[in-house]
Amino acid sequence: MSAQAQLRSPRAMAWERRRGAFAAFCREFARNRAGMIGVIFLIVIVLLAALAPVLAPASMLDVTKLVDAPRFAPPSWEHPLGTDHQGRELWVRMLWGAQVSLLVGFAATAMSMVIGTIVGIAAGHFSGWWGALLMRGIDFFLVLPSLILAIVLTSVLSRGVWTIVIAIGLTSWAGTARVVRSQTLSVESRDYVERARVLGAGHWHIIVKHLLPAVMPLVLANTTLTVGSAIIAESTLSFLGLGDTTVQSWGAILRNSMDVSAATSGYWWYVLVPGLAIVLVVLAFTLVGRAVENIVNPTLRNR
């Protein structure tokens, strides 16, 4: 071993290993064609949502300035995605709706992942009645219909985007917690964790230094899959009229199309455009999630 290697701190060596593992992960992911297609599509959608104020100023949604705009105009060169029942361009509403739908999807998933990871690690690490109590809580939220609970929460709380985020985040963490608990139990039985415990390591040291890094790859894979579910949940709640009616979202656009009976009146673009956008974005997140899962899961990687 060289003198330079001997002078390097354990922390520097750990960061070097992490950078190498991340580079290897990126190389493996780049070889997955479906995952790359999903990533490219999501990057385009995120950029369009971020540039919505530039591409489509908010004044284009002001119905008071659209007195002479045609209602229910079909897609054409003048109206690329058609217009709605108030004469607003559907592509403008879709751009602004992407902001809300993606915000809810990412924020609700982040809340769900944090709660699920904390509860899952605690349930797998602590034994006795603490672990049993946490496991019963996970089982309760697993059997409880999450959509019904989210509807109840959004009905009780004041309507708004963050209310939907809280409702989805508080009702969708149980699946992550169960996966994390299973992985935690597997890591707990490994020799290096037993050695750390024998040497006097406390709960905090074992959780932060050993358990959390071991479960993070599975949490990452589960995150990309959960974002799509969160977007569907947001669209469902907005479609049911439980969202904020003052903001644009893809679910709200579907709700408006139902209010004017677009599906039975021949205004097919009013239903097809937001519905297709939801399907494609969820499919893209699923492709990315499956690609990440194939890399971080040894069983799937070997297969």
Side-chain angles (χ1 to χ4, degrees):
M1 183 179 295
S2 65
Q4 183 179 1
Q6 292 177 354
L7 293 175
R8 289 163 58 191
S9 65
R11 179 173 297 182
M13 296 176 64
W15 276 109
E16 184 177 350
R17 287 196 300 268
R18 291 169 185 171
R19 286 193 295 268
F22 180 74
F25 171 83
C26 292
R27 289 193 297 270
E28 288 291 332
F29 189 90
R31 297 192 186 100
N32 192 300
R33 184 177 300 177
M36 289 302 299
I37 292 175
V39 166
I40 294 172
F41 181 80
L42 290 176
I43 290 175
V44 172
I45 296 297
V46 170
L47 288 177
L48 289 176
L51 295 175
V54 178
L55 300 175
S59 59
M60 298 182 68
L61 296 173
D62 190 354
V63 295
T64 62
K65 299 179 181 179
L66 301 173
V67 178
D68 298 328
R71 271 63 171 168
F72 297 116
S76 61
W77 287 110
E78 185 178 1
H79 309 287
L81 296 181
T83 62
D84 64 2
H85 61 291
Q86 293 180 324
R88 294 172 293 184
E89 292 287 346
L90 205 55
W91 70 269
V92 176
R93 297 191 65 186
M94 291 297 297
L95 285 182
W96 284 92
Q99 288 188 341
V100 175
S101 296
L102 292 177
L103 172 63
V104 172
F106 286 122
T109 300
M111 179 183 295
S112 173
M113 291 301 105
V114 170
I115 298 175
T117 302
I118 293 175
V119 176
I121 290 179
H125 176 70
F126 294 102
S127 58
W129 67 273
W130 265 111
L133 180 63
L134 291 173
M135 195 58 209
R136 297 295 78 76
I138 295 174
D139 292 338
F140 173 78
F141 278 93
L142 278 175
V143 300
L144 189 68
S146 58
L147 181 59
I148 302 299
L149 183 56
I151 291 175
V152 172
L153 289 176
T154 52
S155 301
V156 174
L157 302 175
S158 59
R159 292 188 180 183
V161 174
W162 291 109
T163 298
I164 294 181
V165 170
I166 294 172
I168 297 175
L170 291 179
T171 57
S172 58
W173 57 268
T176 301
R178 196 169 187 86
V179 172
V180 170
R181 176 184 178 272
S182 177
Q183 180 68 7
T184 300
L185 291 174
S186 175
V187 176
E188 283 274 356
S189 62
R190 296 177 183 173
D191 294 338
Y192 64 88
V193 177
E194 290 292 339
R195 183 165 54 249
R197 186 178 290 108
V198 170
L199 292 175
H203 295 299
W204 180 255
H205 178 86
I206 293 176
I207 290 174
V208 174
K209 296 295 184 179
H210 300 298
L211 299 182
L212 188 59
V215 303
M216 283 308 296
L218 285 179
V219 172
L220 176 62
N222 200 40
T223 297
T224 53
L225 295 172
T226 306
V227 175
S229 301
I231 292 176
I232 293 178
E234 183 278 330
S235 301
T236 303
L237 294 174
S238 297
F239 179 77
L240 295 175
L242 298 174
D244 189 352
T245 58
T246 62
V247 298
Q248 301 292 331
S249 72
W250 294 342
I253 298 175
L254 283 175
R255 170 74 181 187
N256 295 151
S257 68
M258 185 192 70
D259 291 339
V260 297
S261 303
T264 57
S265 300
Y267 312 131
W268 53 268
W269 60 90
Y270 205 171
V271 181
L272 181 63
V273 171
L276 190 60
I278 295 172
V279 171
L280 291 178
V281 169
V282 173
L283 177 61
F285 275 111
T286 303
L287 292 177
V288 174
R290 293 304 181 190
V292 174
E293 189 177 24
N294 287 335
I295 297 173
V296 302
N297 192 325
T299 304
L300 297 178
R301 184 170 62 248
N302 294 335
R303 187 181 303 173

